[in-house]
Amino acid sequence: MKKIFLIFLSIFLFNMSFSQEKPLVVGMELAYPPFETTDTQGNPTGFSVDLAKDLGKYLGRPVVIENMAYGGLIPSLMTKKIDIILSSMSITKEREKAISFSDPYANSFLTILASNKSKIKHPMDLNAPGMKIAVKNGTTGHLVATEYFPKAEILVFQKETAAVLEVSQHKVDAFIYDPMSIYKNWKNYKDTTTPILEKFQTSNEYWGIGYRKQDKKLGKEINSFLKEYKKNGGFEKLTDKYLKEEKEQFKAQGIPFFIN
């Protein structure tokens, strides 16, 4: 009995210690399934949510998910409303002026969802007067569109669904986003859209976990977690749970999958 009591006491004390730790407040936009989304009860779920919870366990801190617009993530981090950003965010030089990023945990690139009424055969066909391109505000697609397609008209939307709808209704010629999302949206609008999965950027994009520049200790802990998580097959488990079909489709089409 004494041994059982000691076991229960140790569990109780561990839980007390865990609960007294300062929560890790994670910012993400819950509008990007299967990475960041909500279940039927409105609870956060997805690849990034599980990754955040596993990071919290590694750090010994309870996790609080703060749902917010994508464009508000970096300002919220800088004003200390959140502790980290874990929201499928690409590491860019512009963003690194304001915040720091962990080592990359994913390697992606941008592709095109084209309207079937557009005459686009190649991504660079978009760089022409009269072409209309939909982008989601604050994403790398938004940034890259102005760099690669300066002759086109860039239309900025707050939601991915709104941008895709514009393409499917032939109001714009194309939408720029990552290949997995383009593939997913094409499946929903096969009769009106065409995926152009050819890479047009000169370099890939890398996703990282964002943190404040002064939080160097936290940054080192996050990198240690990512290294151990990858070594122990954590990313493979999340991929099998949330992205199994997409991974198989990418392989069939000869497209490199982006989760390291």
Side-chain angles (χ1 to χ4, degrees), residues 26-193:
V26 181
M28 59 178 70
E29 183 185 38
L30 298 175
Y32 183 42
F35 288 94
E36 303 98 27
T37 187
T38 54
D39 61 21
T40 54
Q41 284 77 44
N43 300 310
T45 187
F47 185 103
S48 298
V49 175
D50 283 9
L51 182 60
K53 290 178 179 178
D54 288 341
L55 172 60
K57 291 177 184 176
Y58 180 85
L59 297 175
R61 296 171 63 178
V63 169
V64 175
I65 304 295
E66 285 291 337
N67 181 23
M68 59 187 66
Y70 199 82
L73 287 169
I74 290 179
S76 293
L77 180 65
M78 295 179 70
T79 54
K80 298 187 177 181
K81 293 178 181 177
I82 57 176
D83 296 313
I84 63 170
I85 298 171
L86 210 175
S87 194
S88 304
M89 181 170 281
S90 297
I91 302 169
T92 68
K93 291 182 180 179
E94 190 64 28
R95 288 170 177 161
E96 285 183 311
K97 292 178 182 178
I99 66 174
S100 293
F101 282 96
S102 69
D103 293 336
Y105 66 89
N107 173 9
S108 188
F109 54 93
L110 294 172
T111 51
I112 305 292
L113 181 70
S115 163
N116 282 351
K117 290 191 175 181
S118 180
K119 297 180 180 179
I120 303 167
K121 300 296 182 184
H122 181 278
M124 295 312 296
D125 292 340
L126 288 170
N127 191 32
M131 286 289 179
K132 294 183 178 181
I133 303 173
V135 297
K136 182 180 176 182
N137 186 39
T139 64
T140 50
H142 184 181
L143 301 173
V144 165
T146 56
E147 177 185 353
Y148 281 82
F149 312 111
K151 296 179 181 179
E153 180 183 356
I154 310 299
L155 303 175
V156 182
F157 295 85
Q158 296 301 319
K159 299 290 185 180
E160 174 189 347
T161 51
V164 172
L165 191 61
E166 293 288 298
V167 179
S168 68
Q169 294 178 348
H170 313 300
K171 294 178 180 179
V172 300
D173 295 284
F175 172 52
I176 302 177
Y177 222 36
D178 68 87
M180 195 197 74
S181 295
I182 294 299
Y183 173 76
K184 177 193 68 179
N185 285 305
W186 167 71
K187 287 202 303 181
N188 293 331
Y189 297 98
K190 286 186 177 182
D191 295 334
T192 55
T193 66

